[in-house]
Amino acid sequence: MQNWWRQGMMGGAKAHYDGVVEFSQTNFTEDHKNITVPVLVMHGDDDQIVPYADSAPLPARLVRNGTLKTYPGFPHGMPTTQAETINADLLTFLQS
């Protein structure tokens, strides 16, 4: 909780608001279709901030070289709470 608070305090209220508006109201479909480099989409299926079903599967399908890695039970803050797992999977992807 302290880390979440710290992250929130690092940005301005307007910037946070505008960010939420952009990722919740902007359609990035065509942008995703134009990405040709390998992409690893990592998402926890217990994310209470960005629901898994509404966010992770589609971009992984739209990019040309997309890989979806789903983490059962992982939350929105999984890079912090599950850093060991996330970092190991990122390293494996980067080395492949």
Side-chain angles (χ1 to χ4, degrees):
M1 285 179 21
Q2 290 175 339
N3 190 45
W4 189 316
W5 180 87
R6 180 191 60 77
Q7 290 174 16
M9 295 298 105
M10 290 172 59
K14 174 109 170 68
H16 288 306
Y17 177 82
D18 289 347
V20 170
V21 169
E22 287 303 315
F23 76 68
S24 65
Q25 297 179 10
T26 303
N27 184 344
F28 294 104
T29 300
E30 293 308 312
D31 295 319
H32 287 124
K33 290 178 182 178
N34 291 322
I35 297 171
T36 59
V37 297
V39 173
L40 176 61
V41 177
M42 307 169 86
H43 205 114
D45 71 357
D46 194 30
D47 190 327
Q48 303 297 306
I49 307 301
V50 181
Y52 173 85
D54 296 332
S55 58
L58 182 59
R61 283 194 312 268
L62 291 175
V63 297
R64 292 182 192 163
N65 297 304
T67 300
L68 175 60
K69 178 82 175 166
T70 303
Y71 295 91
F74 281 24
H76 183 74
M78 67 183 195
T80 300
T81 62
Q82 306 293 336
E84 205 169 290
T85 299
I86 299 303
N87 288 337
D89 288 347
L90 274 172
L91 185 58
T92 298
F93 176 76
L94 292 171
Q95 292 172 335
S96 68

